[in-house]
Amino acid sequence: MNLDLLLFSFNNAWFGIDIEQLAAITPYRDDEDDDLVSLERIFGGQPRSYREPRVISVKGDGAGKMPPYRLLIEAPEDIRNVDWRDVRPLPSLLEPFIRRLGVWGVLPLDERLILLLDCHRIDHRLRRKE
Amino acid sequence: MSEIATKSELLLDTVKRRERDEKIIEVDEEKIKVVIFRAGSRCYAFYGRNIREILTPREIAWAPGLPDYLPGLINVRGDIESVIDLRAFLGEERADCAQCHIAIAVADDFISGILVDVVEDVVDIPASGIKPVIAGLPDAVRELVAGEFEHGGETVVLLDLAKLAAKVTVR
């Protein structure tokens, strides 16, 4: 089984999202409304500026537990088709900390480590605006 | 010819016997392999059985949501391992990850990379040379210590990987 991954960077780290979870990728506009979530809100840290901001529209999970929402990211670098057998589990020491952020695995790719992000497993409390 | 041993013969016999006994002790005394490394201002060691390999400095990939003592993860020939900054527990200044070697440490089902400044030596030491730590270490470090020994004129703090694993593992 293969995965089509949307690859983008955040804080000098690389992330990959299964494009099956995505409905659209659009340029960011200043008049974006309240359902827009930034990665720094999920991952923590100071608000940051984006060179080429893009908005990805995440589909609902189909089970009603996770409604659709929109995520602000840096412009994706690529979409890559990868073999799922190349995916590695998270080291057990790290898993309790980053699993709730939606990171479910690691993919070694071109000398980089891609953190695989499941948009449907991001703790919904982290997506809410304070 | 007299059958009675002279004083010198008795003394010589005693000396030889003691020398023989000492040799037997030297042969039989348990030796323990340790990996000695520097982290900040002090020398520390792990039991050799707990260190699988030492990696040269390399890029550590950041991951979100990690505490200070976990700088990220590395790729070891296809296996993804966590990295621990040991200095966070030793009261030492935080390490420059880009300059540090990484010891791959294993104990039972625990495995992780551990940042070390440099590996100083890998030696066998007599078990009797490992003494309890008497003084001079912060309480937080004492929680991780198995003992201390002398090496090259310096006191080396022997760390217990199982204790470190228990401290950093979140159940």
Side-chain angles (χ1 to χ4, degrees):
Chain A
M1 191 166 73
N2 281 16
L3 284 169
D4 285 314
L5 292 176
L6 180 81
L7 303 181
F8 61 95
S9 67
F10 176 83
N11 201 24
N12 296 321
W14 287 92
F15 291 85
I17 296 176
D18 182 356
I19 62 169
E20 282 188 8
Q21 294 190 327
L22 305 181
I25 306 172
T26 53
Y28 170 75
R29 300 191 322 266
D30 275 343
D31 59 347
E32 299 290 348
D33 50 23
D34 282 349
D35 73 335
L36 186 64
V37 180
S38 65
L39 279 177
E40 59 262 36
R41 194 193 308 163
I42 296 168
F43 294 161
Q46 298 297 314
R48 60 200 303 271
S49 57
Y50 290 76
R51 289 192 317 275
E52 295 180 70
R54 296 287 186 276
V55 175
I56 54 176
S57 299
V58 178
K59 296 175 187 171
D61 65 357
K65 290 182 179 174
M66 179 68 78
Y69 66 98
R70 297 181 311 140
L71 192 61
L72 179 63
I73 64 169
E74 194 62 80
E77 187 211 53
D78 203 357
I79 292 176
R80 292 283 288 268
N81 182 264
V82 301
D83 190 328
W84 66 272
R85 285 170 296 195
D86 292 333
V87 173
R88 299 284 179 269
L90 293 168
S92 57
L93 208 55
L94 307 188
E95 194 172 7
F97 299 105
I98 56 179
R99 201 176 163 87
R100 66 191 282 268
L101 304 179
V103 179
W104 62 276
V106 186
L107 177 76
L109 182 71
D110 302 341
E111 307 294 318
R112 294 176 296 182
L113 294 181
I114 311 293
L115 299 174
L116 303 178
L117 192 60
D118 182 343
C119 294
H120 292 159
R121 279 177 45 183
I122 295 171
D123 188 330
H124 67 93
R125 288 165 297 187
L126 299 171
R127 292 189 293 113
R128 278 194 205 130
K129 267 191 176 169
E130 289 168 6
Chain B
M1 214 163 67
S2 171
E3 294 292 324
I4 300 170
T6 64
K7 184 178 179 183
S8 64
E9 285 172 329
L10 286 172
L11 281 173
L12 183 60
D13 189 46
T14 304
V15 167
K16 283 182 174 176
R17 200 166 49 237
R18 193 176 64 191
E19 199 174 54
R20 196 170 55 239
D21 290 348
E22 281 177 354
K23 278 182 182 165
I24 289 168
I25 288 170
E26 279 176 19
V27 168
D28 287 346
E29 185 166 16
E30 185 191 0
K31 297 275 183 135
I32 293 175
K33 191 177 289 298
V34 293
V35 178
I36 301 170
F37 60 93
R38 189 166 290 281
S41 59
R42 277 179 180 272
C43 268
Y44 300 89
F46 280 116
Y47 290 110
R49 63 174 183 267
N50 289 137
I51 302 300
R52 195 169 70 187
E53 63 180 313
I54 307 290
L55 305 175
T56 52
R58 62 192 56 206
E59 187 177 345
I60 298 171
W62 174 85
L66 299 180
D68 285 350
Y69 62 85
L70 293 173
L73 53 166
I74 53 171
N75 183 357
V76 185
R77 295 181 294 278
D79 290 327
I80 309 302
E81 308 294 359
S82 53
V83 178
I84 299 171
D85 185 354
L86 195 56
R87 291 189 186 202
F89 303 105
L90 301 178
E92 302 278 359
E93 264 185 44
R94 208 46 51 87
D96 176 1
C97 298
Q99 304 294 322
C100 286
H101 290 67
I102 301 172
I104 299 298
V106 291
D108 297 327
D109 58 350
F110 174 87
I111 178 167
S112 181
I114 294 178
L115 291 178
V116 300
D117 293 7
V118 65
V119 173
E120 299 275 359
D121 212 345
V122 179
V123 289
D124 292 319
I125 58 168
S128 61
I130 300 172
K131 310 289 185 194
V133 174
I134 296 169
L137 288 177
D139 288 346
V141 183
R142 281 173 176 272
E143 289 177 15
L144 307 176
V145 167
E148 65 182 22
F149 59 91
E150 295 296 320
H151 178 74
E154 194 170 353
T155 300
V156 179
V157 178
L158 180 61
L159 299 171
D160 185 332
L161 184 64
K163 291 178 180 174
L164 177 66
K167 195 173 180 74
V168 299
T169 302
V170 177
R171 302 285 178 196

